[in-house]
């Protein structure tokens, strides 16, 4: 199990705590320092059942600065890889599936 984590995000911290409370110690990837590749990000988004736009943080200043409001999925993916702060979090990846854990409890759907 892997969590794409940002320690400055309370939702990400709470999701990690929920996993820990259940005795699960996932691989923790600080995606700001070690972002997923474009292919891995696209696959995670697809496995989570999301659109690319559904996986981007529109409230980040860089979103507006880059003029992404009308961007294509390809341009959004490129922006998320170049600026990982745009990746919504936390993503949790398990053998049972992938979830963007918003709300936090959605992670329960993919736990063993």
């Amino acid at each position: 199990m892997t969590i794409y984590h940002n320690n400055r995000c309370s939702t990400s911290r709470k999701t990690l705590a929920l996993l820990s409370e259940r005795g699960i110690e996932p691989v923790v990837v600080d995606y700001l320092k070690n972002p997923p590749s474009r292919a891995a990000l696209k696959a995670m988004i697809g496995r989570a059942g999301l659109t690319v736009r559904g996986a981007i943080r529109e409230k980040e200043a860089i979103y507006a600065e880059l003029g992404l409001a009308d961007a294509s999925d390809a341009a959004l993916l490129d922006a998320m890889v170049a600026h990982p702060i745009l990746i919504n979090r936390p993503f949790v990846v398990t053998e049972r599936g992938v979830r963007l854990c918003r709300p936090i409890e959605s992670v329960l759907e993919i736990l063993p």
Side-chain angles (χ1 to χ4, degrees):
M1 179 178 305
T2 302
I3 182 170
Y4 288 85
H5 180 64
N6 178 345
N7 198 48
R8 297 182 73 183
C9 171
S10 64
T11 302
S12 196
R13 289 192 311 270
K14 289 175 184 175
T15 302
L16 188 55
L18 176 65
L19 295 173
S20 184
E21 288 167 8
R22 292 181 170 261
I24 299 169
E25 296 301 326
V27 173
V28 178
V29 176
D30 180 341
Y31 72 91
L32 294 176
K33 293 180 183 174
N34 299 299
S37 69
R38 188 181 193 281
L41 180 61
K42 184 176 180 181
M44 275 193 316
I45 292 168
R47 285 187 64 207
L50 297 171
T51 64
V52 175
R53 189 158 299 279
I56 197 163
R57 293 184 54 81
E58 295 178 347
K59 294 180 181 178
E60 293 295 333
I62 191 79
Y63 179 88
E65 291 169 20
L66 295 174
L68 297 175
D70 296 318
S72 67
D73 284 355
L76 293 175
L77 282 168
D78 290 341
M80 286 190 277
V81 170
H83 307 280
I85 193 68
L86 288 170
I87 300 171
N88 212 343
R89 72 254 181 180
F91 271 97
V92 175
V93 180
T94 74
E95 290 180 5
R96 295 189 64 203
V98 177
R99 290 293 180 272
L100 173 58
C101 297
R102 291 181 174 271
I104 297 161
E105 295 77 18
S106 64
V107 75
L108 300 175
E109 299 169 1
I110 58 169
L111 295 183

